[in-house]
Amino acid sequence: NTALGIVVTNALFAKTALAKIAGMAHNGYARAIQPVHTTADGDTIYALSVGGKKADLNLVGTLGAYAMQRAILRAV
């Protein structure tokens, strides 16, 4: 199975920071999907920055993981 996700923030982040946020959001998959990240999975998360607010990268990534977990549980 493949899970596709997106994390959108109104904070301003560069491309490398958005890649880190997407990577952190993958923790939400691990919290909600069993088994996860197998070799047959095509799991992907994209991160987008659509604003100019200042925000902490770690906080946004952590909240992204929580939101991803909740979204998956709600969808199921």
Side-chain angles (χ1 to χ4, degrees):
N1 295 326
T2 296
L4 302 174
I6 186 166
V7 175
V8 181
T9 178
N10 64 345
L12 180 62
F13 288 108
K15 184 178 180 180
T16 54
L18 289 169
K20 179 63 176 174
I21 290 168
M24 291 176 73
H26 263 273
N27 291 330
Y29 282 3
R31 295 173 190 164
I33 301 170
Q34 306 283 322
V36 68
H37 304 311
T38 65
T39 57
D41 288 341
D43 300 338
T44 302
I45 296 179
Y46 298 96
L48 299 174
S49 175
V50 296
K53 305 279 186 184
K54 288 185 77 174
D56 180 68
L57 169 71
N58 293 309
L59 178 61
V60 173
T62 299
L63 292 174
Y66 176 76
M68 190 62 63
Q69 173 191 7
R70 298 293 303 151
I72 292 166
L73 294 175
R74 288 184 68 189
V76 172

